[in-house]
Amino acid sequence: MISLNFKLCVLQDLAANPDEPEMKNIKCLFCLLLLFAQSIVSGQDFSNKGTDFWLGYGYHVNMAGAANGGSQDLKLYFTSDKNANVKVDIPGIQYSATYTITANQVTTSAAIPKTGTQDARISNVGLYDKGIHITSDVPIVAYAHIYNASVSGATLLFPTNTLGKDYYSVNYTQSSNNTSSNSFFFVVATEDNTTVEITPSAPNVNGLTVGSPFMITLNKGQIYNVMGTVSSTAVNSNYLGSDLTGSRIRSVSTNGSGGCKKIAVFSGSGKINIGNTQGGSADNLIAQAFPAVAWGKKYLTAPTGTQPNNFYRVCVTDPATVVKLNGNVLPASSLINGFYYQFKNGNAGGTNSPVPNLIEANRPVLVAQYCTTQGAEGNPSTVPGGDPEMIYLSPVEQTINNITLYSAAQNLILQSYINVIIKAGGVASFTLDGAKVNGFLPHPQDNTYSYVILPVGSGSHTLYSDTGFNAIAYGFGSAESYGYNAGTNVRDFTPVATFQNPYSRIDSAVTCVNTPLQFSLPLAFTPATVKWDFSAAPNIAPNTTIGPSAANTPDSTKTINGQTLNYYSPGKTFTFISSNTAALRDTIKLYTTSATPDGCGSTDQVYSLPVKVNERPVAGFIFASNGCVTDSVLFTDQSTTSNGLVNRWTWDFGDGTIDNRTTATPFPKKYGAGGNYTIKLKAISDIGCISDESSKSILITDKPIAKFTPQAITCADNDIVFTDASTTTTGTIVKWTLNLDDGAAAFTNTTN
């Protein structure tokens, strides 16, 4: 799927005759929703499986003042359903390493360097040229794990094509047994000349003013790190520090050089305890942030294994957002810093009851789940007790149905778990490492969903269902833990990204040869001008730049997830006259300028959409018939397609009847009269590609009229002469059966 989001307009001209195979009245085959400036589409996959990732070696308490790089290590985990060749680059320090990935197994990288000229650590505040770049020749899943003997944290990594422009840091109340245990967040630029606006929510070592935007321009692979302050005086053995939750990090455009660019954002803590006001063990935290456009409105949770008492934060971008916990509205008075609600466990069965939760909101929110310090908040101090962890949860709108994940053994993890939330109908097909899973329970807050808490061993695990699910992976040891979102989609919920045609609705930038279509562009801002550039789409016709011209009044306006979108179109019908390949996609470029810049809707924004153009299916069929009007003809489809599958068929039987079918099962057809008929078939694929007609002729004969003239008078024992007078309007009579009504069996002649 595509990082450049697009939405298909479903218009009345199309809906008026959805079964018309010629698609003459298509008003809008698809509309491109393009909300990310400088977006480059690389296939419409918004999952955490990808071929390009950016991250940084986030802060860990053991980095502080460590001349030898610290006792912590950063390692990367890679897995894929295909064999893969992976490269890890840190361009700013000339580091490179390659790995060969075996399908359905997990490969662990070497420790990322932390000393000398190739020191990749983000060990203090400010600017670093140490972005870590992961690339692969096929899609992979990647995780990062920073740990030492007793301080461990991990995160799922998101591919570059899923990244956004607007993020909020989500951390936790900073408290630790070490004075160097700062809260932090950092941003990684994925393109040169990326302007980033940072608005910190709390005092920080950088000296940035709380609540005031700070601007910095980063080049590709550069990182800017912000760290909260920490008190030098302990309170009950805890050193308290700034909680940077609610800090906003966004990519903006201020110089008209091409709009906002994708950034990656990570949040965490060098070391933190959760739930223990008297000191106690602590862990580092690190998690890659979801872009704000990928937040959801409904979350289902489950407690964490042997440490079931969890804290939760529900983050809102609008303080007016109504949030419900297990059906009860959270009072606005409990909203902290205008940004988040915090609660322990849930309110079903009592505040301290570790229940599965349902969190709902009328606007998109982000939910983080926290494990506590070992022995805190009613959790056991016995081994494996665990330690603090922060996991950003996926909403039920952001599911995945097939993932291979890694349950870590480092460091000193004694028991790993996987929590799964799934629609109840998907339980039957759910497997763990190929085996059916028992033990799913109805979710007590929504019985249309089920959940399970699975103890697993260390190593790779594959989860599959024919239904999408949410999952988190985590593990506990003695005062030790790790945890991360196991796999998700990171789909931009601003639109519903689809293509639409009369026959299907799909999430990919795919169309067909000689299929008429019109484009429409929805924008979240009001542009001054729009220009359509087809110079990089050699197979599109017509192929002439349109504009720049005044946008004027939009074709239509819609509100999606609370955001107003204005739709603009070039006002022409287009076709692709030839198919293309993955390496040579036809790319449509769109440019806009905005009279009212909002930081991203500024000047000369460029949007690029590589479109895959498929050949049309090839229709074909056979039939079996004895040629008689009294018997049915058996028709069997033999249509083929090089992309996808054929899922609709339009049969014209030549007698005035049309049959639109959705199955390839052979079927009978009986003609009402004899004659020579021409049968025509068109095949339609699952992406709406329509074949040329395939036609064949069939001769159907009427029943012959049996007639004969016997000799009028004869005598017993004399021959009787019968003269055949049978007739037929089609074909030739070749067989006659005569019954003399004398008790003898009828007999058949092949002559008359």
Side-chain angles (χ1 to χ4, degrees):
M1 300 182 186
I2 58 176
S3 60
L4 174 82
N5 294 335
F6 43 83
K7 178 175 176 64
L8 191 71
C9 296
V10 186
L11 299 179
Q12 290 146 353
D13 288 356
L14 179 61
N17 193 5
D19 292 324
E20 173 54 56
E22 298 294 343
M23 296 193 294
K24 297 297 186 183
N25 294 322
I26 291 183
K27 177 68 174 176
C28 178
L29 176 62
F30 60 85
C31 304
L32 312 175
L33 179 56
L34 310 167
L35 296 179
F36 295 151
Q38 298 288 18
S39 295
I40 303 298
V41 181
S42 58
Q44 172 93 347
D45 187 355
F46 293 111
S47 78
N48 59 291
K49 182 186 290 185
T51 59
D52 190 282
F53 305 79
W54 282 97
L55 71 150
Y57 195 153
Y59 181 66
H60 187 285
V61 67
N62 291 328
M63 292 180 185
N68 62 350
S71 59
Q72 84 296 323
D73 281 317
L74 165 60
K75 291 188 178 181
L76 307 172
Y77 306 137
F78 309 118
T79 182
S80 177
D81 56 358
K82 300 177 182 178
N83 293 335
N85 296 300
V86 174
K87 187 175 183 181
V88 178
D89 284 308
I90 311 177
I93 58 174
Q94 291 78 53
Y95 172 82
S96 182
T98 58
Y99 300 92
T100 300
I101 311 302
T102 301
N104 301 313
Q105 296 184 20
V106 173
T107 296
T108 303
S109 77
I112 299 299
K114 58 185 179 181
T115 59
T117 58
Q118 290 191 327
D119 182 359
R121 298 172 304 151
I122 311 301
S123 57
N124 211 323
V125 299
L127 182 65
Y128 289 83
D129 196 9
K130 299 181 179 181
I132 301 171
H133 193 200
I134 302 170
T135 55
S136 174
D137 59 348
V138 301
I140 62 170
V141 173
Y143 308 90
H145 191 187
I146 303 176
Y147 64 89
N148 80 334
S150 60
V151 183
S152 171
T155 182
L156 176 71
L157 300 178
F158 298 142
T160 303
N161 67 291
T162 68
L163 300 179
K165 67 182 183 183
D166 196 2
Y167 295 83
Y168 291 85
S169 184
V170 179
N171 306 73
Y172 199 76
T173 304
Q174 184 59 42
S175 173
S176 177
N177 55 9
N178 190 301
T179 57
S180 299
S181 303
N182 308 70
S183 177
F184 70 83
F185 64 81
F186 63 85
V187 55
V188 188
T190 67
E191 298 182 58
D192 287 340
N193 298 313
T194 299
T195 302
V196 177
E197 177 191 273
I198 297 172
T199 307
S201 65
N204 52 85
V205 181
N206 306 62
L208 307 182
T209 303
V210 175
S212 295
F214 164 75
M215 310 293 289
I216 186 169
T217 298
L218 304 176
N219 285 326
K220 186 175 183 178
Q222 287 190 314
I223 293 174
Y224 189 80
N225 188 46
V226 177
M227 299 173 70
T229 57
V230 178
S231 172
S232 59
T233 303
V235 178
N236 294 327
S237 301
N238 281 328
Y239 294 91
L240 307 181
S242 297
D243 177 357
L244 294 172
T245 296
S247 298
R248 189 177 187 184
I249 308 98
R250 64 177 187 146
S251 171
V252 298
S253 177
T254 59
N255 56 13
S257 62
C260 301
K261 300 176 181 180
K262 292 179 179 295
I263 54 176
V265 174
F266 293 77
S267 300
S269 172
K271 192 179 186 185
I272 193 172
N273 69 51
I274 296 178
N276 193 331
T277 61
Q278 304 297 321
S281 62
D283 243 350
N284 67 309
L285 305 178
I286 186 168
Q288 183 163 5
F290 282 80
V293 292
W295 295 10
K297 295 182 178 180
K298 180 177 180 179
Y299 294 77
L300 290 166
T301 77
T304 51
T306 52
Q307 194 190 85
N309 292 306
N310 301 123
F311 284 98
Y312 296 86
R313 283 188 173 181
V314 182
C315 304
V316 303
T317 58
D318 183 349
T321 302
V322 177
V323 178
K324 292 182 180 180
L325 173 61
N326 300 327
N328 300 313
V329 175
L330 295 178
S333 59
S334 64
L335 184 66
I336 301 172
N337 295 334
F339 183 71
Y340 68 94
Y341 295 93
Q342 181 172 310
F343 59 89
K344 179 185 173 185
N345 294 321
N347 60 5
T351 302
N352 292 317
S353 176
V355 298
N357 292 305
L358 167 62
I359 299 163
E360 299 170 289
N362 65 336
R363 296 187 178 114
V365 298
L366 175 71
V367 176
Q369 183 171 359
Y370 300 86
C371 301
T372 73
T373 293
Q374 179 170 305
E377 296 294 334
N379 282 316
S381 58
T382 55
V383 175
D387 235 6
E389 192 54 70
M390 175 177 71
I391 304 173
Y392 297 160
L393 303 182
S394 297
V396 297
E397 302 98 322
Q398 298 277 29
T399 60
I400 200 163
N401 78 318
N402 189 0
I403 190 68
T404 298
L405 58 86
Y406 183 62
S407 293
Q410 298 292 346
N411 190 14
L412 303 178
I413 297 299
L414 300 175
Q415 180 62 64
S416 289
Y417 298 88
I418 300 171
N419 286 9
V420 178
I421 307 285
I422 191 171
K423 277 278 193 180
V427 170
S429 63
F430 185 87
T431 59
L432 169 64
D433 299 330
K436 179 176 173 56
V437 172
N438 297 314
F440 275 94
L441 298 172
H443 198 284
Q445 313 304 334
D446 185 343
N447 61 16
T448 65
Y449 285 84
S450 297
Y451 77 99
V452 68
I453 303 170
L454 297 170
V456 295
S458 62
S460 62
H461 299 288
T462 299
L463 311 179
Y464 171 79
S465 175
D466 60 13
T467 301
F469 54 82
N470 300 128
I472 62 173
Y474 56 97
F476 300 135
S478 178
E480 184 59 273
S481 68
Y482 76 90
Y484 51 79
N485 189 311
T488 187
N489 271 305
V490 193
R491 192 183 301 274
D492 180 348
F493 283 147
T494 305
V496 177
T498 58
F499 271 20
Q500 182 74 45
N501 55 61
Y503 304 100
S504 64
R505 183 183 180 95
I506 58 175
D507 292 335
S508 55
V510 180
T511 186
C512 320
V513 173
N514 296 327
T515 299
L517 54 91
Q518 290 186 352
F519 300 99
S520 182
L521 167 63
L523 296 173
F525 59 93
T526 302
T529 64
V530 175
K531 180 176 77 171
W532 300 81
D533 180 2
F534 305 105
S535 60
N539 295 308
I540 201 170
N543 192 306
T544 304
T545 297
I546 302 174
S549 59
N552 298 320
T553 304
D555 302 332
S556 62
T557 299
K558 294 183 180 180
T559 300
I560 301 175
N561 283 344
Q563 184 169 28
T564 299
L565 301 174
N566 298 315
Y567 289 76
Y568 300 88
S569 68
K572 290 181 179 291
T573 299
F574 299 88
T575 57
F576 287 92
I577 60 177
S578 179
S579 63
N580 59 27
T581 65
L584 296 172
R585 297 284 170 90
D586 285 75
T587 300
I588 300 165
K589 295 182 179 180
L590 304 104
Y591 298 84
T592 67
T593 61
S594 175
T596 56
D598 64 353
C600 287
S602 56
T603 59
D604 293 329
Q605 293 186 77
V606 60
Y607 306 90
S608 297
L609 177 65
V611 180
K612 178 68 174 73
V613 184
N614 288 330
E615 293 289 355
R616 293 187 290 173
V618 177
F621 65 95
I622 57 175
F623 61 82
S625 170
N626 64 11
C628 293
V629 74
T630 54
D631 296 316
S632 295
V633 181
L634 182 67
F635 288 97
T636 302
D637 172 67
Q638 291 189 326
S639 302
T640 60
T641 180
S642 59
N643 299 91
L645 53 88
V646 176
N647 65 355
R648 288 177 65 98
W649 296 260
T650 297
W651 295 85
D652 181 343
F653 297 111
D655 61 350
T657 60
I658 304 293
D659 190 356
N660 292 301
R661 304 183 72 85
T662 57
T663 175
T665 304
F667 62 94
K669 155 73 177 176
K670 183 178 285 189
Y671 284 88
N676 203 329
Y677 297 97
T678 299
I679 298 96
K680 300 175 183 178
L681 172 65
K682 285 188 177 182
I684 302 99
S685 74
D686 57 347
I687 59 171
C689 297
I690 304 175
S691 70
D692 289 328
E693 279 186 346
S694 174
S695 63
K696 293 182 179 181
S697 295
I698 184 172
L699 177 64
I700 300 295
T701 60
D702 282 314
K703 294 186 293 185
I705 299 174
K707 187 176 180 181
F708 64 93
T709 303
Q711 184 175 337
I713 300 174
T714 188
C715 300
D717 298 324
N718 287 349
D719 289 339
I720 301 174
V721 178
F722 294 93
T723 302
D724 174 54
S726 302
T727 60
T728 181
T729 58
T730 53
T732 302
I733 299 173
V734 296
K735 191 179 292 185
W736 294 259
T737 298
L738 188 65
N739 187 335
L740 297 177
D741 197 25
D742 62 350
F747 63 92
T748 299
N749 283 347
T750 56
T751 69
N752 63 351

